[in-house]
Amino acid sequence: MGYKKTGKTTLVCRLAERFTSEGLRVATIKHDAHGFEPDVPGTDSWKHRQAGALWSAVVSPERTAFFEEKSADLDELLLRMQEADVVLIEGFKGKPYPKLALIQSVEQKEILDGLESVFGIVTWADRNDEWVSGLGSGRGLPVYSFDDLESIVRAIKTNTMREAVTENISEETL
C-alpha cells in the first residue's frame, strides 16, 4: 500500500520476478481506481466487447486473456487464482489481507493510520533519517529499504505464505 508514484508497481514486479525464479507460480492483482481499457481498440477481441459481449476470451497457444464487463471483488479474484503459490496484490487498501506499506517521505506516513494488517514498511528514504527510524517503532513494525529485496521477500514468506508453500522452500532462502 502506498500513495501514487511510491514504487508499488516496481516492487510488485521485482517480487514477481524473485518468486518466479524460485519456481513458484505467481499471480498479481492490481486495483485501478479509474477506468481502463484492457484491450487494444480495433482488435477482434475489442470489437467483440464493443458489440456487447459481457465476457470475451482470446486464446493462443501461449496465453489466454479473459475480459469481463463488470467489476470483481478481491475475494472472487483470489478464488480464481487458487493455482498460484503467491498472489501479489497492489491496491485494495481497505481489505484485511497482510500488507506492506510503501512510504517515500515524512508527509506520507499518515497512510499507516488508515491501514490494517500491515506487517512491515518499505521506504526509499535513507533508513538513518530520524523520521524513518521512528516509522515502525511506535507500531512495532519493521522498516525495510526498498533495495533490500531479500529482507522483503523473507518478511512476505514469514507473514503471508501458506504452510504448504513454505514447506517447499529451501531453508537457505528463508
Side-chain angles (χ1 to χ4, degrees), residues 129-167:
D129 286 352
E130 187 177 324
W131 73 269
V132 174
S133 60
L135 265 177
S137 60
R139 295 174 170 83
L141 296 172
V143 178
Y144 304 100
S145 169
F146 190 86
D147 292 322
D148 187 2
L149 193 61
E150 293 308 311
S151 292
I152 297 169
V153 166
R154 194 174 314 114
I156 291 170
K157 289 177 180 178
T158 301
N159 290 283
T160 68
M161 294 183 71
R162 296 183 299 250
E163 268 185 53
V165 174
T166 55
E167 288 174 7

Side-chain angles (χ1 to χ4, degrees), residues 21-172:
S21 75
E22 291 184 13
L24 297 172
R25 296 169 298 175
V26 177
T28 63
I29 301 173
K30 176 177 175 49
H31 181 260
D32 185 343
H34 313 287
F36 68 97
E37 179 56 54
D39 200 4
V40 178
T43 61
D44 290 347
S45 55
W46 181 85
K47 290 175 184 177
H48 292 182
R49 291 178 38 247
Q50 295 305 305
L54 295 179
W55 300 273
S56 181
V58 180
V59 181
S60 76
E62 295 84 27
R63 70 187 50 88
T64 299
F66 186 83
F67 303 102
E68 190 170 21
E69 295 299 318
K70 73 172 191 81
S71 184
D73 181 75
L74 179 59
D75 294 333
E76 178 185 342
L77 294 171
L78 291 171
L79 283 173
R80 292 181 187 183
M81 298 179 174
Q82 288 184 30
E83 292 181 39
D85 297 314
V86 178
V87 180
L88 301 169
I89 302 168
E90 182 180 338
F92 295 96
K93 67 182 172 192
K95 295 290 187 174
Y97 61 85
K99 54 186 71 82
L100 289 166
L102 275 75
I103 299 176
Q104 229 174 8
S105 66
V106 68
E107 295 81 20
Q108 296 176 352
K109 68 180 185 176
E110 83 269 356
I111 195 170
L112 292 169
D113 297 334
L115 295 177
E116 59 180 271
S117 305
V118 176
F119 64 88
I121 299 167
V122 177
T123 185
W124 292 60
D126 186 339
R127 291 186 61 214
N128 294 321
D129 286 352
E130 187 177 324
W131 73 269
V132 174
S133 60
L135 265 177
S137 60
R139 295 174 170 83
L141 296 172
V143 178
Y144 304 100
S145 169
F146 190 86
D147 292 322
D148 187 2
L149 193 61
E150 293 308 311
S151 292
I152 297 169
V153 166
R154 194 174 314 114
I156 291 170
K157 289 177 180 178
T158 301
N159 290 283
T160 68
M161 294 183 71
R162 296 183 299 250
E163 268 185 53
V165 174
T166 55
E167 288 174 7
N168 293 327
I169 300 170
S170 68
E171 288 297 318
E172 62 193 48

